[in-house]
Amino acid sequence: MASIRFENIDKFFPGVQALKNINLEIKSGEFFTLLGPSGCGKTTLLRTVAGFYKQDRGHIYFEDVLVDDIPAHKRDTGMVFQNYAVWPHMTVYENVAFGLKNRKLKPSEIKRKVDTVLKMARLTGFEHRTPDQLSGGQQQRVGLARAMVIEPKVLLMDEPLSNLDAKLRIEMREEIRDIQRQLGITTIYVTHDQEEALVISDRIAVMNAGEIYQVGEPWEIYKNPSNIFVASFVGTMNFLSGKIISRNGDSVTIDFGIGKLNIKVSRSLPTSGEVRIAVRPEDLILEPRASEIRSKKEFSVIKGRVIKSSFTGTLIQYFVECDSGKSLIIERHKPEKDALVQDGTSVEVLIPKKAVFLFDPETGKRV
């Protein structure tokens, strides 16, 4: 196991800066995820850790050892690729044992280590099969076992589940997390799947355009986004444009076109001007009639009409068009059939004031 430290990392490719002043510390034994859209720099950062790329500025440390000039094959990392990268002419056993043979271990030691990791990866009994006799999930487990068997200081995983179907991805992410916990290997995991990152990670770094926008535990990333990009990329979010119309101490009144909010805010918020309002779909309350609780100060109530709904089993999403023409997404978990709201129904939406996020529309930062 090893902690990893990035200091002022820049990386340039022709015509683009892929990494911009990356400063980050990953704890020993941590499962750390780099999350972001395609082209955000997450795979470039991973490959820089592996030694496949050399940064143009800054330093990388494993523990307190500078690894900038250590070649990839001497950095003591294991890599799991998106496309499995198993050798088609080798059996499962031969694939997994390959790295140990290169290290010139005794055959008895190789067998002991391979048998152990095959059991962990649920591949016992598949030793003599070739990759063409395996499913996609089994091939990915072979790649994982091959990376783990050498007992690296750092395990690097580049979107390893993206080629699998949805159900198998869920199964595999749980297996990967369980195995990582058993071994305690420091792991950097790259994905663009927000749900996957929230489920599997100890901490997450949300990246965009070569920069790290926020680092935190999954709960913090989802429940306390630091800027508009993180709020919009991780999960679903309703955004509305608002205008501060009055302020009294730490309370402000905001007009957001389809209603008004009077909420408590930090002292840093200006007394007037534009603001972006955001609220998660699961925090909104949908009622055909909300008049009986309209007097409660913790809610703001707006009128609208359900224009369509989307049912996924444990969740239903309602798309509500408000009287001003603006739209909101509202979610209900474990919906009951008798409580479903039909398309075209006039409704009232309750916005809990405690669930509202405010952002500066110019900087994108949370206020």
Side-chain angles (χ1 to χ4, degrees), residues 294-335:
R294 185 174 299 176
S295 61
K296 292 187 177 181
K297 295 181 179 180
E298 63 265 29
F299 296 104
S300 179
V301 181
I302 56 178
K303 294 181 179 181
R305 182 174 62 89
V306 175
I307 55 174
K308 65 175 181 178
S309 60
S310 177
F311 176 65
T312 62
T314 59
L315 174 74
I316 188 165
Q317 282 188 330
Y318 292 105
F319 297 82
V320 175
E321 186 179 74
C322 302
D323 289 351
S324 65
K326 296 181 180 179
S327 297
L328 294 171
I329 299 174
I330 297 125
E331 292 180 352
R332 277 186 176 173
H333 292 268
K334 296 195 297 185

Side-chain angles (χ1 to χ4, degrees), residues 65-171:
V65 177
L66 184 67
V67 299
D68 294 349
D69 297 320
I70 298 177
H73 67 282
K74 292 185 177 181
R75 290 198 181 186
D76 198 8
T77 63
M79 189 84 171
V80 182
F81 297 93
Q82 178 179 346
N83 60 353
Y84 314 145
V86 294
W87 288 288
H89 62 288
M90 293 184 181
T91 64
V92 169
Y93 186 94
E94 291 168 338
N95 263 282
V96 176
F98 183 82
L100 298 177
K101 289 179 178 179
N102 282 350
R103 285 164 170 76
K104 304 188 184 305
L105 271 67
K106 294 179 180 180
S108 59
E109 184 70 3
I110 291 174
K111 186 177 188 310
R112 184 186 68 80
K113 288 180 177 289
V114 171
D115 288 347
T116 299
V117 80
L118 288 178
K119 184 177 180 180
M120 293 179 68
R122 294 199 297 115
L123 289 168
T124 301
F126 294 86
E127 292 90 342
H128 303 297
R129 294 193 187 185
T130 52
D132 63 308
Q133 298 173 312
L134 302 175
S135 68
Q138 290 166 340
Q139 290 185 53
Q140 191 58 282
R141 286 204 293 272
V142 173
L144 179 61
R146 187 178 59 194
M148 293 187 305
V149 77
I150 61 173
E151 299 176 1
K153 287 183 179 178
V154 178
L155 182 61
L156 306 173
M157 310 187 77
D158 189 7
E159 305 219 34
L161 307 183
S162 61
N163 288 337
L164 305 179
D165 62 63
K167 186 176 181 180
L168 190 54
R169 280 202 308 271
I170 293 173
E171 293 175 1

